[in-house]
Amino acid sequence: MAQQFDYVIVGAGSAGCILANRLSADASVTVALIEAGPRDRKLEIKIPAAFPKLFHTPFDWDLYTVPQKELDARELYWPRGKTWGGSSSLNAQMWVRGAQADYDAWGPGWTYAEVLPYFRRAERRIGSNAESTYGTDGPLFIEELRSPNPLRSHFFEACAEAGFRRLPELNVPSIDGYAPTPVTQHRGRRWSTADGYLRPILKRPNLTVLSEARARRVLLTEGRATGVEYSDSSGVAQVIARREVILSAGAVHSPHLLQLSGIGNPDMLKLAGIETIVASAEVGANLQDHLSAVVIYHCPEPITLVAAEKPAELVKFLTRRRGMLTSNVGEGVAFARSDASLRTPDLEFIFAPVPFIDHGQTDPPGHGLTIGAILLQPDSRGTVSAVSADPTQAPHIEPNYLSEPSDLERLVNGVEQCQSLFGSAALSPHVSAPMQPGPNETDMTAYVRARSETLYHPTSTCRMGSDAESVVDLDLRVRGVDGLRVADASVMPRIIRGHTHAPAVMIAEKAADLIRSAR
Ligand SMILES: Cc1cc2nc3c(=O)[nH]c(=O)nc-3n(C[C@H](O)[C@H](O)[C@H](O)COP(=O)(O)OP(=O)(O)OC[C@H]3O[C@@H](n4cnc5c(N)ncnc54)[C@H](O)[C@@H]3O)c2cc1C
């Protein structure tokens, strides 16, 4: 007999841990949380600077895009968290909500004023809270870096020289300026949604966590989601959902699970050999991501994170939770414009006191500093598509990076602005020769095509909207099916001008209210 629950949540990631907490707070309902990955018992998850050490391990889905036509046919590596906390256990911990204008375009119920209470409900801000920007008693610690690199202040001076504005806090409604990065850390260690929301409630008798259990499809009966089929070490099994199934499997796997369940674009499903049960053309469509191109300079001062692997740093971390290992790598942020006439920033610059090469996995040739340019509002759109009915076969990820020429132009402009920041009076005394682009890489368009990488922010593959074509409605209900919602980064109508963890958290906090009020 399949086990029965009121709610079945798929994915214990940024969003899923929150839903498990908020829904099981009502002792009269039962909740199952199904997570494909193992528990988050790994020192590298707790050490903020160690996240690249988790790449290509069992804690990572280890995904790749299809060859990118506009990026020299490269297949880009896409890490995604596969453990409790999901990508919040693997990410760079930057807490960046994005601009007010982004949310105001999402639709009724999702304007900045309406979602702000959900950000604040999640936040437990420690330290600076200028203009009372943040919540102070939520489950997620938002703190300052405890041991920021001394060179970060020169990056901020370079931003001031460039005419950017110092923000009182990074998370003010108008993100127009620069500031230190607030991080999801507590006393120098990572603080994921598993830390904030899941671990404290594991003793609740009405919550069942199925770990290392991979959802294969949503069970549909007469137009209603009735449960989930999953596999674990004992084989294939089912759980029944008396009220709702909620997909929080992230921007790649939530649309993939819908497709595996027969909900999607009929042409795409047919090619994959999957019978269409509910036609929904945009499932997996509308994929957006933040593409990043970095500029790296050698640094003659031996104080960058290249030294983070010294045993003394590990001792400092283990004994005092201080030192280089508490760095989140992306220590400072500036928002800027590719065109001065734009009303809102369309570029972000991230300062990292280390040569961040090959996702932090290649040992750099000595000390160096990185400023990454990120295109915040890409016009290019991509897809996530099942390629077979086999749930273990990864979907095709086609981000179509730079397929819109304006994206390439703006990112090239961003790289040039990063080079200017390095040439500033504030930063130039602290760098020597350029590392990337190297002396022979003079064509910046070719450089962007050859070197750009993901900033790890895929969104919008289960787009929310009030129009009939959207995948979910404004209450996150999957159109054409009863008892099924999606709540994670995939529902964003458009990627935000910020980072995607904070909005995934906000979406889950709001989803919990929507689900509870539907009873
Ligand atoms: C390396 C890296 C660095 C990043 N840095 C930052 C940053 O500094 N700041 C920021 O804001 N954002 C950052 N991000 C992005 C951010 O972490 C994500 O956007 C956010 O965590 C997405 O939340 P989610 O709930 O949508 O998905 P996730 O947190 O990815 O959760 C999805 C969960 O579902 C599980 N799952 C998937 N399929 C199945 C299945 N079939 N069955 C069962 N379980 C399943 C996964 O294992 C995972 O636990 C980064 C991401 C990465 C990978």
Side-chain angles (χ1 to χ4, degrees):
M1 270 290 282
Q3 272 189 293
Q4 298 201 5
F5 300 90
D6 292 308
Y7 299 107
V8 175
I9 303 161
V10 177
S14 293
C17 289
I18 297 171
L19 282 152
N21 181 312
R22 298 302 188 198
L23 295 179
S24 67
D26 176 352
S28 72
V29 303
T30 53
V31 176
L33 177 63
I34 304 178
E35 169 55 46
R39 281 189 81 138
D40 54 347
R41 288 194 185 115
K42 180 93 177 151
L43 185 60
E44 286 80 354
I45 293 179
K46 316 301 166 196
I47 298 178
F51 64 89
K53 306 261 183 222
L54 299 162
F55 295 169
H56 309 296
T57 70
F59 300 93
D60 173 18
W61 284 89
D62 202 5
L63 301 170
Y64 283 82
T65 70
V66 299
Q68 290 304 287
K69 199 162 148 250
E70 303 297 332
L71 296 179
D72 296 348
R74 288 182 296 132
E75 296 175 19
L76 270 59
Y77 166 52
W78 272 27
R80 306 309 302 160
K82 188 181 186 184
T83 181
W84 289 19
S87 298
S88 78
S89 288
L90 207 91
N91 71 12
Q93 306 130 61
M94 302 172 75
W95 185 258
V96 194
R97 294 178 191 154
Q100 170 166 6
D102 297 334
Y103 299 98
D104 287 349
W106 276 16
W110 295 91
T111 62
Y112 192 73
E114 288 166 300
V115 301
L116 191 55
Y118 293 106
F119 282 116
R120 295 174 63 95
R121 186 159 92 182
E123 293 166 342
R124 181 179 294 246
R125 177 61 160 160
I126 307 291
S128 156
N129 192 1
E131 300 173 9
S132 301
T133 302
Y134 301 91
T136 52
D137 56 2
L140 278 189
F141 284 98
I142 314 291
E143 303 194 355
E144 300 297 316
L145 285 172
R146 299 186 99 194
S147 305
N149 193 281
L151 296 169
R152 181 175 73 167
S153 57
H154 300 295
F155 167 70
F156 292 145
E157 287 166 28
C159 291
E161 262 182 63
F164 306 158
R165 191 166 62 100
R166 171 83 192 207
L167 295 170
E169 291 279 356
L170 193 58
N171 287 295
V172 288
S174 152
I175 52 163
D176 207 343
Y178 63 91
T181 314
V183 286
T184 42
Q185 290 185 9
H186 182 41
R187 300 194 66 250
R189 109 192 219 324
R190 176 192 296 279
W191 195 256
S192 69
T193 57
D195 294 315
Y197 286 86
L198 187 57
R199 226 177 311 283
I201 59 155
L202 286 175
K203 290 210 172 94
R204 282 186 189 163
N206 60 337
L207 173 68
T208 301
V209 183
L210 301 169
S211 223
E212 296 180 69
R214 180 174 179 154
R216 294 163 52 88
R217 65 190 174 99
V218 180
L219 304 170
L220 299 175
T221 313
E222 293 169 5
R224 183 172 183 85
T226 51
V228 171
E229 180 183 278
Y230 68 95
S231 59
D232 63 11
S233 56
S234 339
V236 175
Q238 296 186 344
V239 279
I240 302 300
R242 284 186 291 252
R243 289 188 185 159
E244 291 200 28
V245 172
I246 303 127
L247 298 184
S248 298
V252 174
H253 294 105
S254 284
H256 188 215
L257 277 168
L258 289 178
Q259 293 162 352
L260 291 168
S261 316
I263 304 166
N265 180 320
D267 296 336
M268 190 277 294
L269 293 180
K270 194 170 173 200
L271 279 176
I274 300 169
E275 186 196 345
T276 298
I277 296 174
V278 177
S280 180
E282 288 198 23
V283 173
N286 205 35
L287 171 63
Q288 295 159 57
D289 188 24
H290 286 148
L291 191 64
S292 159
V294 298
V295 174
I296 309 176
Y297 270 69
H298 288 276
C299 174
E301 294 158 71
I303 57 170
T304 75
L305 297 180
V306 170
E309 301 214 16
K310 286 187 179 161
E313 290 297 332
L314 185 59
V315 172
K316 223 185 276 178
F317 177 80
L318 293 175
T319 56
R320 295 194 287 127
R321 294 268 193 269
R322 292 196 181 273
M324 289 192 178
L325 290 176
T326 63
S327 171
N328 73 318
V329 181
E331 295 192 3
V333 170
F335 290 103
R337 294 168 169 71
S338 62
D339 173 346
S341 68
L342 288 173
R343 282 185 57 209
T344 321
D346 64 339
L347 292 173
E348 178 182 356
F349 303 129
I350 299 181
F351 171 79
V354 70
F356 195 73
I357 300 172
D358 183 25
H359 303 275
Q361 299 216 288
T362 297
D363 283 341
H367 286 273
L369 302 178
T370 301
I371 303 178
I374 292 96
L375 182 65
L376 290 173
Q377 293 272 273
D379 290 328
S380 305
R381 296 287 182 272
T383 49
V384 169
S385 322
V387 285
S388 99
D390 175 0
T392 63
Q393 192 171 350
H396 266 180
I397 301 173
E398 170 49 285
N400 263 323
Y401 288 121
L402 306 183
S403 53
E404 291 293 331
S406 61
D407 288 355
L408 178 62
E409 280 164 32
R410 291 185 291 155
L411 198 50
V412 168
N413 175 284
V415 167
E416 288 165 352
Q417 289 195 50
C418 292
Q419 290 174 315
S420 302
L421 289 169
F422 274 119
S424 64
L427 260 183
S428 57
H430 302 281
V431 295
S432 52
M435 201 183 288
Q436 260 190 37
N440 299 328
E441 292 174 295
T442 48
D443 177 347
M444 283 311 112
T445 302
Y447 175 73
V448 163
R449 290 189 191 282
R451 302 277 198 173
S452 298
E453 296 285 352
T454 177
L455 196 76
Y456 320 111
H457 291 173
T459 68
S460 310
T461 45
C462 299
R463 178 179 71 83
M464 153 174 83
S466 52
D467 58 306
E469 289 74 38
S470 57
V471 177
V472 298
D473 67 15
L474 293 172
D475 286 347
L476 306 180
R477 292 175 296 215
V478 175
R479 290 185 186 277
V481 190
D482 288 335
L484 180 61
R485 296 192 210 229
V486 181
D488 58 23
S490 63
V491 303
M492 294 184 208
R494 187 167 189 199
I495 195 165
I496 51 133
R497 276 168 279 221
H499 292 219
T500 45
H501 175 49
V505 164
M506 175 277 287
I507 287 164
E509 283 281 11
K510 182 165 162 85
D513 273 10
L514 291 169
I515 294 165
R516 284 185 303 205
S517 65
R519 289 179 53 200

